Amino acid sequence: MSAATWRYFGTRESPQARVWAREGGIAVHENLFRLKGRRTAHLLGPSEEALLEAARSVGCQDHWIQRTNTVHFDLVAEYLDRALIFCGVDPGDPPLRRVWADKADKAD
């Protein structure tokens, strides 16, 4: 899995994250929800097969997959840190949680 296909999305960028994933990328979308004070995110992919491959690359187990309206993995702790690294984001200094998209990044 190429790191170039991974991209971080802030809490208010869920539509853009879904578009990115649908168009072939791997999206790490930060949640507003925190688990015991820790940041959390969703991992999205263009297909279940690609999503599973991406999840395995950060250490997730296949049975952790969430098959809701949007098939995803929940990421926290070291799994989120590894995914942020694939996105080119420093886990020790991640972007602000509420990141607003540039006009060029907005989904149609």
Side-chain angles (χ1 to χ4, degrees), residues 61-75:
Q61 296 181 25
D62 290 1
H63 69 272
W64 297 351
I65 196 166
Q66 302 290 309
R67 290 186 176 94
T68 60
N69 289 340
T70 302
V71 179
H72 68 279
F73 276 82
D74 293 330
L75 299 175

Side-chain angles (χ1 to χ4, degrees), residues 10-11 29-34 39-42 74-75 97:
T11 58
H29 172 255
E30 185 143 3
N31 299 322
L32 284 172
F33 172 78
R34 286 181 173 252
R39 296 168 76 122
T40 64
H42 286 150
D74 293 330
L75 299 175
R97 294 177 72 223

Side-chain angles (χ1 to χ4, degrees), residues 43-88:
L43 181 67
L44 309 172
S47 66
E48 190 166 317
E49 181 180 320
L51 176 60
L52 286 165
E53 181 182 341
R56 289 178 196 129
S57 75
V58 296
C60 295
Q61 296 181 25
D62 290 1
H63 69 272
W64 297 351
I65 196 166
Q66 302 290 309
R67 290 186 176 94
T68 60
N69 289 340
T70 302
V71 179
H72 68 279
F73 276 82
D74 293 330
L75 299 175
V76 67
E78 67 270 16
Y79 308 102
L80 175 55
D81 289 350
R82 292 174 194 145
L84 290 174
I85 291 168
F86 277 126
C87 293

